[in-house]
Short mmCIF file of all heavy atoms in Angstrom, two decimals:
data_model
loop_
_atom_site.label_atom_id
_atom_site.label_comp_id
_atom_site.label_asym_id
_atom_site.label_seq_id
_atom_site.Cartn_x
_atom_site.Cartn_y
_atom_site.Cartn_z
N MET A 1 -3.59 -25.49 55.95
CA MET A 1 -3.64 -26.52 54.82
C MET A 1 -3.23 -25.99 53.50
O MET A 1 -2.49 -26.60 52.84
CB MET A 1 -5.09 -27.21 54.87
CG MET A 1 -5.07 -28.38 54.04
SD MET A 1 -4.17 -29.75 54.71
CE MET A 1 -5.37 -30.94 54.75
N ALA A 2 -3.71 -24.71 53.19
CA ALA A 2 -3.39 -24.12 51.89
C ALA A 2 -1.94 -23.87 51.91
O ALA A 2 -1.28 -23.94 50.84
CB ALA A 2 -4.24 -22.91 51.76
N ALA A 3 -1.28 -23.46 53.03
CA ALA A 3 0.12 -23.05 53.15
C ALA A 3 0.99 -24.38 52.81
O ALA A 3 1.97 -24.25 52.15
CB ALA A 3 0.49 -22.44 54.42
N LEU A 4 0.47 -25.45 53.37
CA LEU A 4 1.20 -26.76 53.11
C LEU A 4 1.15 -27.07 51.64
O LEU A 4 2.15 -27.50 51.06
CB LEU A 4 0.64 -27.84 53.95
CG LEU A 4 1.25 -29.19 53.93
CD1 LEU A 4 2.77 -29.11 54.16
CD2 LEU A 4 0.58 -30.14 54.76
N SER A 5 0.05 -26.98 51.04
CA SER A 5 -0.09 -27.23 49.66
C SER A 5 0.70 -26.41 48.73
O SER A 5 1.27 -26.84 47.77
CB SER A 5 -1.73 -27.16 49.28
OG SER A 5 -2.36 -28.11 49.87
N ALA A 6 0.85 -25.16 49.17
CA ALA A 6 1.57 -24.17 48.39
C ALA A 6 3.09 -24.53 48.51
O ALA A 6 3.83 -24.48 47.54
CB ALA A 6 1.37 -22.77 48.83
N ARG A 7 3.54 -24.89 49.76
CA ARG A 7 4.95 -25.38 49.89
C ARG A 7 5.23 -26.60 49.12
O ARG A 7 6.30 -26.75 48.50
CB ARG A 7 5.19 -25.64 51.40
CG ARG A 7 5.49 -24.24 52.17
CD ARG A 7 6.13 -24.66 53.50
NE ARG A 7 5.42 -25.51 54.32
CZ ARG A 7 4.50 -25.13 55.26
NH1 ARG A 7 4.23 -23.84 55.59
NH2 ARG A 7 3.82 -26.10 56.00
N ASN A 8 4.22 -27.57 49.13
CA ASN A 8 4.46 -28.83 48.38
C ASN A 8 4.50 -28.51 46.89
O ASN A 8 5.40 -29.07 46.22
CB ASN A 8 3.30 -29.76 48.61
CG ASN A 8 3.43 -30.38 50.01
OD1 ASN A 8 4.55 -30.35 50.65
ND2 ASN A 8 2.38 -31.01 50.53
N ALA A 9 3.68 -27.61 46.34
CA ALA A 9 3.72 -27.26 44.99
C ALA A 9 5.10 -26.57 44.59
O ALA A 9 5.66 -26.81 43.51
CB ALA A 9 2.54 -26.37 44.63
N ALA A 10 5.52 -25.60 45.44
CA ALA A 10 6.79 -25.00 45.26
C ALA A 10 7.93 -25.96 45.31
O ALA A 10 8.78 -25.92 44.44
CB ALA A 10 6.98 -23.92 46.33
N ALA A 11 7.98 -26.92 46.12
CA ALA A 11 8.96 -27.91 46.21
C ALA A 11 8.85 -28.91 44.97
O ALA A 11 10.04 -29.22 44.38
CB ALA A 11 8.84 -28.83 47.47
N ALA A 12 7.77 -29.19 44.51
CA ALA A 12 7.60 -29.97 43.32
C ALA A 12 8.12 -29.26 42.06
O ALA A 12 8.86 -29.82 41.22
CB ALA A 12 6.14 -30.45 43.14
N LEU A 13 7.77 -27.95 41.94
CA LEU A 13 8.29 -27.13 40.88
C LEU A 13 9.82 -27.01 40.92
O LEU A 13 10.44 -27.21 39.83
CB LEU A 13 7.64 -25.74 40.91
CG LEU A 13 8.05 -24.89 39.79
CD1 LEU A 13 7.75 -25.30 38.47
CD2 LEU A 13 7.54 -23.41 40.08
N GLU A 14 10.38 -26.77 42.10
CA GLU A 14 11.86 -26.65 42.21
C GLU A 14 12.51 -28.04 41.85
O GLU A 14 13.45 -28.05 41.14
CB GLU A 14 12.19 -26.36 43.68
CG GLU A 14 13.70 -26.24 43.79
CD GLU A 14 14.13 -25.92 45.26
OE1 GLU A 14 13.46 -26.45 46.23
OE2 GLU A 14 15.22 -25.29 45.44
N GLN A 15 11.94 -29.13 42.17
CA GLN A 15 12.47 -30.47 41.90
C GLN A 15 12.39 -30.64 40.32
O GLN A 15 13.35 -31.09 39.76
CB GLN A 15 11.75 -31.56 42.63
CG GLN A 15 12.37 -32.94 42.40
CD GLN A 15 11.78 -34.01 43.25
OE1 GLN A 15 10.57 -33.86 43.63
NE2 GLN A 15 12.55 -34.91 43.71
N ASP A 16 11.18 -30.27 39.68
CA ASP A 16 11.18 -30.45 38.28
C ASP A 16 12.15 -29.57 37.55
O ASP A 16 12.71 -30.07 36.59
CB ASP A 16 9.62 -30.04 37.83
CG ASP A 16 8.64 -31.11 38.17
OD1 ASP A 16 9.08 -32.31 38.58
OD2 ASP A 16 7.40 -30.79 38.11
N GLU A 17 12.30 -28.31 37.97
CA GLU A 17 13.22 -27.47 37.26
C GLU A 17 14.65 -28.01 37.48
O GLU A 17 15.53 -28.00 36.54
CB GLU A 17 13.13 -26.20 37.91
CG GLU A 17 11.88 -25.43 37.39
CD GLU A 17 11.57 -24.06 38.17
OE1 GLU A 17 12.32 -23.77 39.08
OE2 GLU A 17 10.77 -23.36 37.68
N ALA A 18 15.01 -28.61 38.66
CA ALA A 18 16.32 -29.18 38.93
C ALA A 18 16.58 -30.37 38.01
O ALA A 18 17.69 -30.53 37.45
CB ALA A 18 16.49 -29.56 40.40
N VAL A 19 15.54 -31.13 37.86
CA VAL A 19 15.71 -32.37 36.93
C VAL A 19 15.96 -31.92 35.49
O VAL A 19 16.88 -32.48 34.90
CB VAL A 19 14.45 -33.30 37.01
CG1 VAL A 19 14.41 -34.30 35.89
CG2 VAL A 19 14.28 -33.95 38.36
N GLU A 20 15.29 -30.96 35.10
CA GLU A 20 15.43 -30.33 33.74
C GLU A 20 16.83 -29.81 33.55
O GLU A 20 17.57 -30.18 32.63
CB GLU A 20 14.47 -29.29 33.46
CG GLU A 20 13.65 -29.41 32.14
CD GLU A 20 12.59 -28.33 32.07
OE1 GLU A 20 12.98 -27.30 31.45
OE2 GLU A 20 11.48 -28.57 32.49
N ALA A 21 17.30 -29.05 34.53
CA ALA A 21 18.61 -28.39 34.43
C ALA A 21 19.77 -29.57 34.55
O ALA A 21 20.71 -29.47 33.87
CB ALA A 21 18.83 -27.31 35.54
N LEU A 22 19.52 -30.49 35.37
CA LEU A 22 20.46 -31.56 35.59
C LEU A 22 20.61 -32.40 34.23
O LEU A 22 21.75 -32.69 33.89
CB LEU A 22 20.13 -32.45 36.76
CG LEU A 22 20.98 -33.55 37.14
CD1 LEU A 22 22.36 -33.08 37.50
CD2 LEU A 22 20.40 -34.36 38.36
N THR A 23 19.49 -32.68 33.70
CA THR A 23 19.38 -33.36 32.40
C THR A 23 20.26 -32.62 31.27
O THR A 23 21.07 -33.23 30.67
CB THR A 23 18.01 -33.59 31.99
OG1 THR A 23 17.33 -34.32 32.99
CG2 THR A 23 17.95 -34.38 30.65
N GLU A 24 19.91 -31.37 31.22
CA GLU A 24 20.65 -30.55 30.31
C GLU A 24 22.23 -30.50 30.50
O GLU A 24 22.99 -30.59 29.53
CB GLU A 24 20.21 -29.10 30.19
CG GLU A 24 18.80 -28.89 29.59
CD GLU A 24 18.37 -27.55 29.71
OE1 GLU A 24 19.27 -26.52 29.63
OE2 GLU A 24 17.08 -27.25 29.79
N LEU A 25 22.53 -30.39 31.78
CA LEU A 25 24.00 -30.34 32.05
C LEU A 25 24.68 -31.69 31.70
O LEU A 25 25.74 -31.72 31.01
CB LEU A 25 24.20 -30.11 33.48
CG LEU A 25 25.60 -30.06 34.02
CD1 LEU A 25 26.49 -28.94 33.43
CD2 LEU A 25 25.62 -29.93 35.61
N VAL A 26 24.06 -32.79 32.18
CA VAL A 26 24.62 -34.09 31.90
C VAL A 26 24.66 -34.49 30.40
O VAL A 26 25.73 -34.87 29.79
CB VAL A 26 23.95 -35.16 32.74
CG1 VAL A 26 24.40 -36.55 32.33
CG2 VAL A 26 24.22 -34.94 34.31
N LEU A 27 23.58 -34.11 29.70
CA LEU A 27 23.53 -34.42 28.31
C LEU A 27 24.58 -33.56 27.51
O LEU A 27 25.09 -34.08 26.44
CB LEU A 27 22.18 -34.21 27.76
CG LEU A 27 21.06 -35.26 28.17
CD1 LEU A 27 19.72 -34.91 27.58
CD2 LEU A 27 21.52 -36.66 27.77
N SER A 28 24.91 -32.43 27.96
CA SER A 28 25.98 -31.65 27.20
C SER A 28 27.31 -32.36 27.37
O SER A 28 28.07 -32.24 26.46
CB SER A 28 26.00 -30.16 27.86
OG SER A 28 26.63 -30.19 29.14
N TYR A 29 27.54 -33.03 28.38
CA TYR A 29 28.82 -33.75 28.54
C TYR A 29 28.75 -35.10 27.72
O TYR A 29 29.74 -35.52 27.19
CB TYR A 29 29.14 -34.07 30.02
CG TYR A 29 29.84 -32.84 30.59
CD1 TYR A 29 29.06 -31.78 31.23
CD2 TYR A 29 31.18 -32.62 30.45
CE1 TYR A 29 29.71 -30.69 31.74
CE2 TYR A 29 31.89 -31.49 30.98
CZ TYR A 29 31.06 -30.47 31.58
OH TYR A 29 31.71 -29.40 32.00
N PHE A 30 27.53 -35.72 27.63
CA PHE A 30 27.48 -36.84 26.77
C PHE A 30 27.68 -36.58 25.43
O PHE A 30 28.28 -37.40 24.65
CB PHE A 30 26.09 -37.60 27.03
CG PHE A 30 26.05 -38.42 28.21
CD1 PHE A 30 25.10 -38.19 29.23
CD2 PHE A 30 26.72 -39.62 28.29
CE1 PHE A 30 25.09 -38.96 30.39
CE2 PHE A 30 26.64 -40.49 29.48
CZ PHE A 30 25.85 -40.21 30.45
N ALA A 31 27.27 -35.33 25.00
CA ALA A 31 27.40 -34.92 23.59
C ALA A 31 28.88 -34.80 23.25
O ALA A 31 29.30 -35.05 22.14
CB ALA A 31 26.69 -33.57 23.36
N ARG A 32 29.67 -34.32 24.27
CA ARG A 32 31.05 -34.08 24.03
C ARG A 32 31.91 -35.44 24.23
O ARG A 32 33.08 -35.48 23.75
CB ARG A 32 31.54 -33.06 24.97
CG ARG A 32 31.20 -31.72 24.56
CD ARG A 32 31.65 -30.65 25.55
NE ARG A 32 30.64 -30.32 26.57
CZ ARG A 32 30.74 -29.64 27.53
NH1 ARG A 32 31.87 -29.17 27.89
NH2 ARG A 32 29.71 -29.46 28.28
N HIS A 33 31.25 -36.34 24.88
CA HIS A 33 31.95 -37.65 25.11
C HIS A 33 31.12 -38.80 24.75
O HIS A 33 30.54 -39.58 25.68
CB HIS A 33 32.47 -37.64 26.62
CG HIS A 33 33.37 -36.52 27.06
ND1 HIS A 33 34.62 -36.57 26.75
CD2 HIS A 33 33.04 -35.40 27.69
CE1 HIS A 33 35.24 -35.49 27.21
NE2 HIS A 33 34.23 -34.71 27.73
N PRO A 34 30.87 -39.04 23.48
CA PRO A 34 29.94 -40.09 23.05
C PRO A 34 30.24 -41.53 23.51
O PRO A 34 29.38 -42.41 23.55
CB PRO A 34 30.01 -39.96 21.47
CG PRO A 34 31.29 -39.31 21.16
CD PRO A 34 31.60 -38.43 22.35
N GLU A 35 31.59 -41.71 23.98
CA GLU A 35 31.83 -43.07 24.40
C GLU A 35 31.28 -43.28 25.76
O GLU A 35 31.23 -44.45 26.25
CB GLU A 35 33.37 -43.20 24.54
CG GLU A 35 34.14 -42.43 25.61
CD GLU A 35 34.23 -40.91 25.32
OE1 GLU A 35 33.80 -40.44 24.30
OE2 GLU A 35 34.81 -40.26 26.35
N ALA A 36 30.83 -42.24 26.56
CA ALA A 36 30.31 -42.40 27.80
C ALA A 36 28.93 -43.06 27.71
O ALA A 36 28.12 -42.73 26.85
CB ALA A 36 30.19 -40.99 28.52
N ARG A 37 28.72 -43.91 28.66
CA ARG A 37 27.40 -44.64 28.81
C ARG A 37 26.60 -44.37 30.06
O ARG A 37 25.41 -44.56 30.24
CB ARG A 37 27.60 -46.12 28.71
CG ARG A 37 28.08 -46.53 27.33
CD ARG A 37 27.02 -46.38 26.26
NE ARG A 37 27.49 -46.78 24.98
CZ ARG A 37 27.42 -45.90 23.99
NH1 ARG A 37 26.86 -44.78 24.12
NH2 ARG A 37 27.94 -46.24 22.78
N MET A 38 27.34 -43.92 31.12
CA MET A 38 26.74 -43.62 32.45
C MET A 38 27.13 -42.21 32.94
O MET A 38 28.26 -41.76 32.52
CB MET A 38 27.06 -44.79 33.41
CG MET A 38 26.71 -46.14 32.98
SD MET A 38 27.27 -47.39 34.06
CE MET A 38 26.38 -47.05 35.47
N VAL A 39 26.40 -41.68 33.80
CA VAL A 39 26.72 -40.38 34.36
C VAL A 39 28.13 -40.43 34.97
O VAL A 39 29.02 -39.45 34.69
CB VAL A 39 25.74 -39.90 35.42
CG1 VAL A 39 26.25 -38.60 36.05
CG2 VAL A 39 24.37 -39.71 34.73
N MET A 40 28.41 -41.49 35.63
CA MET A 40 29.74 -41.57 36.23
C MET A 40 30.90 -41.55 35.28
O MET A 40 32.07 -41.25 35.55
CB MET A 40 29.92 -42.92 37.09
CG MET A 40 29.83 -44.15 36.39
SD MET A 40 29.83 -45.51 37.58
CE MET A 40 31.29 -46.40 37.04
N ASP A 41 30.66 -41.84 34.01
CA ASP A 41 31.63 -41.74 32.91
C ASP A 41 31.96 -40.31 32.53
O ASP A 41 33.01 -40.02 32.01
CB ASP A 41 31.18 -42.44 31.63
CG ASP A 41 30.98 -44.01 31.80
OD1 ASP A 41 31.62 -44.49 32.77
OD2 ASP A 41 30.17 -44.56 31.14
N VAL A 42 30.96 -39.44 32.74
CA VAL A 42 31.22 -38.00 32.30
C VAL A 42 31.70 -37.10 33.51
O VAL A 42 32.19 -35.99 33.25
CB VAL A 42 30.07 -37.35 31.65
CG1 VAL A 42 29.73 -38.02 30.31
CG2 VAL A 42 28.72 -37.26 32.51
N LEU A 43 31.36 -37.61 34.65
CA LEU A 43 31.84 -36.77 35.84
C LEU A 43 33.24 -36.32 35.87
O LEU A 43 33.51 -35.15 36.14
CB LEU A 43 31.50 -37.53 37.22
CG LEU A 43 29.97 -37.67 37.49
CD1 LEU A 43 29.82 -38.50 38.71
CD2 LEU A 43 29.26 -36.35 37.54
N PRO A 44 34.25 -37.12 35.47
CA PRO A 44 35.63 -36.75 35.51
C PRO A 44 35.93 -35.62 34.41
O PRO A 44 36.87 -34.92 34.63
CB PRO A 44 36.42 -38.02 35.15
CG PRO A 44 35.47 -39.15 35.46
CD PRO A 44 34.14 -38.67 35.24
N HIS A 45 35.08 -35.43 33.47
CA HIS A 45 35.33 -34.47 32.45
C HIS A 45 34.66 -33.09 32.83
O HIS A 45 34.91 -32.06 32.11
CB HIS A 45 34.68 -34.95 31.06
CG HIS A 45 35.31 -36.28 30.55
ND1 HIS A 45 36.55 -36.35 30.18
CD2 HIS A 45 34.70 -37.57 30.52
CE1 HIS A 45 36.78 -37.55 29.80
NE2 HIS A 45 35.76 -38.32 30.09
N MET A 46 33.88 -33.03 33.84
CA MET A 46 33.11 -31.83 34.17
C MET A 46 34.15 -30.82 34.79
O MET A 46 35.19 -31.22 35.55
CB MET A 46 32.04 -32.12 35.25
CG MET A 46 30.92 -32.68 34.72
SD MET A 46 29.55 -32.80 35.84
CE MET A 46 28.30 -33.53 34.81
N THR A 47 33.93 -29.56 34.49
CA THR A 47 34.79 -28.50 35.17
C THR A 47 34.35 -28.41 36.63
O THR A 47 33.32 -29.01 37.09
CB THR A 47 34.43 -27.09 34.65
OG1 THR A 47 33.01 -26.82 34.81
CG2 THR A 47 34.67 -27.09 33.09
N GLU A 48 35.15 -27.85 37.50
CA GLU A 48 34.73 -27.76 38.90
C GLU A 48 33.43 -27.05 39.14
O GLU A 48 32.63 -27.54 39.98
CB GLU A 48 35.86 -26.98 39.65
CG GLU A 48 37.13 -27.70 39.85
CD GLU A 48 38.25 -26.89 40.70
OE1 GLU A 48 37.82 -26.19 41.58
OE2 GLU A 48 39.35 -27.15 40.39
N GLU A 49 33.18 -26.03 38.31
CA GLU A 49 31.90 -25.24 38.44
C GLU A 49 30.72 -26.14 38.07
O GLU A 49 29.81 -26.20 38.72
CB GLU A 49 31.96 -24.02 37.56
CG GLU A 49 32.90 -23.01 37.94
CD GLU A 49 34.39 -23.18 37.50
OE1 GLU A 49 34.53 -24.07 36.52
OE2 GLU A 49 35.33 -22.64 38.04
N ASP A 50 30.85 -26.88 36.99
CA ASP A 50 29.85 -27.83 36.41
C ASP A 50 29.57 -28.93 37.47
O ASP A 50 28.44 -29.41 37.74
CB ASP A 50 30.11 -28.45 35.04
CG ASP A 50 29.69 -27.35 33.98
OD1 ASP A 50 29.16 -26.26 34.40
OD2 ASP A 50 30.13 -27.57 32.84
N ARG A 51 30.66 -29.38 38.12
CA ARG A 51 30.48 -30.57 39.05
C ARG A 51 29.83 -29.94 40.21
O ARG A 51 28.96 -30.72 40.92
CB ARG A 51 31.91 -31.05 39.37
CG ARG A 51 31.96 -32.24 40.36
CD ARG A 51 31.16 -33.48 39.74
NE ARG A 51 31.01 -34.50 40.81
CZ ARG A 51 31.75 -35.60 40.80
NH1 ARG A 51 32.71 -35.66 40.01
NH2 ARG A 51 31.58 -36.44 41.72
N ALA A 52 30.15 -28.76 40.76
CA ALA A 52 29.35 -28.20 41.86
C ALA A 52 27.98 -28.01 41.55
O ALA A 52 27.11 -28.28 42.45
CB ALA A 52 30.14 -26.84 42.22
N GLU A 53 27.63 -27.53 40.33
CA GLU A 53 26.32 -27.35 39.93
C GLU A 53 25.55 -28.77 39.82
O GLU A 53 24.44 -28.88 40.21
CB GLU A 53 26.10 -26.65 38.64
CG GLU A 53 24.84 -26.37 38.11
CD GLU A 53 24.00 -25.39 38.97
OE1 GLU A 53 24.46 -24.94 40.00
OE2 GLU A 53 22.84 -25.06 38.55
N TYR A 54 26.23 -29.81 39.37
CA TYR A 54 25.69 -31.03 39.21
C TYR A 54 25.35 -31.57 40.66
O TYR A 54 24.28 -32.08 40.83
CB TYR A 54 26.77 -32.00 38.62
CG TYR A 54 26.42 -33.49 38.88
CD1 TYR A 54 25.50 -34.12 37.96
CD2 TYR A 54 26.95 -34.28 39.82
CE1 TYR A 54 25.17 -35.51 38.17
CE2 TYR A 54 26.62 -35.54 40.01
CZ TYR A 54 25.84 -36.24 39.14
OH TYR A 54 25.52 -37.45 39.30
N GLU A 55 26.21 -31.39 41.56
CA GLU A 55 25.95 -31.84 42.96
C GLU A 55 24.72 -31.13 43.63
O GLU A 55 23.88 -31.65 44.31
CB GLU A 55 27.20 -31.59 43.89
CG GLU A 55 28.33 -32.53 43.43
CD GLU A 55 28.16 -34.08 43.63
OE1 GLU A 55 27.25 -34.48 44.44
OE2 GLU A 55 28.85 -34.78 43.06
N ARG A 56 24.64 -29.82 43.43
CA ARG A 56 23.61 -29.01 43.95
C ARG A 56 22.33 -29.41 43.27
O ARG A 56 21.36 -29.70 44.04
CB ARG A 56 23.84 -27.44 43.54
CG ARG A 56 22.83 -26.46 44.19
CD ARG A 56 23.07 -25.09 43.70
NE ARG A 56 22.58 -24.99 42.35
CZ ARG A 56 21.31 -24.73 42.02
NH1 ARG A 56 20.40 -24.77 42.96
NH2 ARG A 56 20.91 -24.61 40.79
N LEU A 57 22.22 -29.54 42.01
CA LEU A 57 21.07 -29.91 41.34
C LEU A 57 20.64 -31.38 41.72
O LEU A 57 19.45 -31.68 41.92
CB LEU A 57 21.17 -29.87 39.76
CG LEU A 57 21.26 -28.43 39.28
CD1 LEU A 57 21.76 -28.50 37.81
CD2 LEU A 57 19.98 -27.71 39.41
N ARG A 58 21.52 -32.25 41.77
CA ARG A 58 21.29 -33.67 42.22
C ARG A 58 20.67 -33.63 43.63
O ARG A 58 19.73 -34.49 43.79
CB ARG A 58 22.51 -34.45 42.25
CG ARG A 58 22.28 -36.01 42.34
CD ARG A 58 23.52 -36.76 42.34
NE ARG A 58 24.23 -36.35 43.60
CZ ARG A 58 25.16 -37.10 44.14
NH1 ARG A 58 25.61 -38.13 43.57
NH2 ARG A 58 25.76 -36.67 45.27
N ALA A 59 21.09 -32.87 44.60
CA ALA A 59 20.49 -32.94 45.82
C ALA A 59 19.07 -32.44 45.81
O ALA A 59 18.29 -32.84 46.72
CB ALA A 59 21.43 -31.97 46.79
N ILE A 60 18.74 -31.53 44.99
CA ILE A 60 17.34 -31.01 44.82
C ILE A 60 16.50 -32.08 44.10
O ILE A 60 15.45 -32.40 44.47
CB ILE A 60 17.28 -29.70 44.08
CG1 ILE A 60 18.02 -28.58 44.96
CG2 ILE A 60 15.85 -29.23 43.81
CD1 ILE A 60 18.27 -27.30 44.22
N ALA A 61 17.02 -32.52 42.93
CA ALA A 61 16.33 -33.38 42.05
C ALA A 61 16.08 -34.87 42.66
O ALA A 61 15.04 -35.45 42.39
CB ALA A 61 16.95 -33.53 40.69
N ALA A 62 17.08 -35.25 43.49
CA ALA A 62 16.90 -36.66 43.91
C ALA A 62 17.51 -36.68 45.42
O ALA A 62 18.60 -37.14 45.63
CB ALA A 62 17.76 -37.53 43.12
N PRO A 63 16.65 -36.05 46.32
CA PRO A 63 17.12 -36.05 47.66
C PRO A 63 17.40 -37.42 48.29
O PRO A 63 18.19 -37.50 49.23
CB PRO A 63 16.00 -35.26 48.41
CG PRO A 63 14.85 -35.23 47.55
CD PRO A 63 15.38 -35.47 46.17
N ASP A 64 16.72 -38.44 47.72
CA ASP A 64 16.91 -39.76 48.25
C ASP A 64 18.06 -40.45 47.60
O ASP A 64 18.42 -41.72 47.82
CB ASP A 64 15.68 -40.61 48.15
CG ASP A 64 15.30 -40.83 46.77
OD1 ASP A 64 15.81 -40.20 45.89
OD2 ASP A 64 14.20 -41.59 46.56
N GLY A 65 18.62 -39.81 46.59
CA GLY A 65 19.83 -40.28 45.85
C GLY A 65 19.52 -41.10 44.58
O GLY A 65 20.39 -41.43 43.74
N GLY A 66 18.24 -41.32 44.35
CA GLY A 66 17.82 -41.98 43.02
C GLY A 66 17.18 -41.08 42.03
O GLY A 66 16.26 -40.39 42.36
N ILE A 67 17.63 -41.14 40.79
CA ILE A 67 17.05 -40.37 39.76
C ILE A 67 17.29 -41.10 38.43
O ILE A 67 18.33 -41.78 38.19
CB ILE A 67 17.58 -38.94 39.70
CG1 ILE A 67 16.82 -38.11 38.67
CG2 ILE A 67 19.06 -38.89 39.42
CD1 ILE A 67 17.14 -36.66 38.67
N TYR A 68 16.28 -41.05 37.58
CA TYR A 68 16.37 -41.61 36.26
C TYR A 68 16.34 -40.40 35.20
O TYR A 68 15.39 -39.61 35.20
CB TYR A 68 15.24 -42.51 35.91
CG TYR A 68 15.25 -43.69 36.80
CD1 TYR A 68 14.53 -43.80 37.94
CD2 TYR A 68 16.15 -44.73 36.54
CE1 TYR A 68 14.55 -44.95 38.82
CE2 TYR A 68 16.16 -45.90 37.35
CZ TYR A 68 15.42 -46.00 38.54
OH TYR A 68 15.48 -47.11 39.23
N LEU A 69 17.44 -40.30 34.44
CA LEU A 69 17.44 -39.28 33.44
C LEU A 69 17.19 -39.87 32.13
O LEU A 69 17.40 -41.07 31.87
CB LEU A 69 18.86 -38.68 33.43
CG LEU A 69 19.37 -37.93 34.60
CD1 LEU A 69 20.77 -37.56 34.44
CD2 LEU A 69 18.40 -36.68 34.96
N PRO A 70 16.63 -39.05 31.13
CA PRO A 70 16.27 -39.61 29.89
C PRO A 70 17.44 -40.30 29.23
O PRO A 70 18.58 -39.76 29.32
CB PRO A 70 15.74 -38.40 29.03
CG PRO A 70 15.50 -37.32 30.10
CD PRO A 70 16.35 -37.66 31.28
N TYR A 71 17.13 -41.33 28.48
CA TYR A 71 18.33 -42.04 27.74
C TYR A 71 18.03 -42.13 26.32
O TYR A 71 16.95 -42.44 25.88
CB TYR A 71 18.47 -43.44 28.40
CG TYR A 71 19.52 -44.35 27.67
CD1 TYR A 71 20.76 -44.11 27.80
CD2 TYR A 71 19.02 -45.22 26.74
CE1 TYR A 71 21.80 -44.86 27.12
CE2 TYR A 71 19.96 -45.95 26.04
CZ TYR A 71 21.34 -45.76 26.21
OH TYR A 71 22.29 -46.54 25.57
N GLU A 72 19.00 -41.76 25.52
CA GLU A 72 18.82 -41.92 24.10
C GLU A 72 19.99 -42.73 23.59
O GLU A 72 21.08 -42.54 23.98
CB GLU A 72 18.82 -40.52 23.40
CG GLU A 72 17.62 -39.66 23.74
CD GLU A 72 17.67 -38.29 23.16
OE1 GLU A 72 18.43 -38.16 22.13
OE2 GLU A 72 16.99 -37.46 23.63
N ASP A 73 19.67 -43.63 22.70
CA ASP A 73 20.77 -44.51 22.17
C ASP A 73 21.07 -44.09 20.76
O ASP A 73 20.30 -43.75 19.95
CB ASP A 73 20.33 -45.95 22.21
CG ASP A 73 21.49 -46.97 21.99
OD1 ASP A 73 22.67 -46.47 22.01
OD2 ASP A 73 21.20 -48.16 21.77
#
């Protein structure tokens, strides 16, 4: 039981860290492209490396495909 709790805690921490990193990555592109309103608007501007990192982080942060990132207007 303790091992399961430790695994769940580690997975939750990994997910939280991925959400944070994903948010930073995406917001850096929004800062460079203020006309963008949605993540799909900045994806074409990402480098290949950043796009690969985006996909990796997204898979961790939102394994079911849904995630809400902070929004500032």
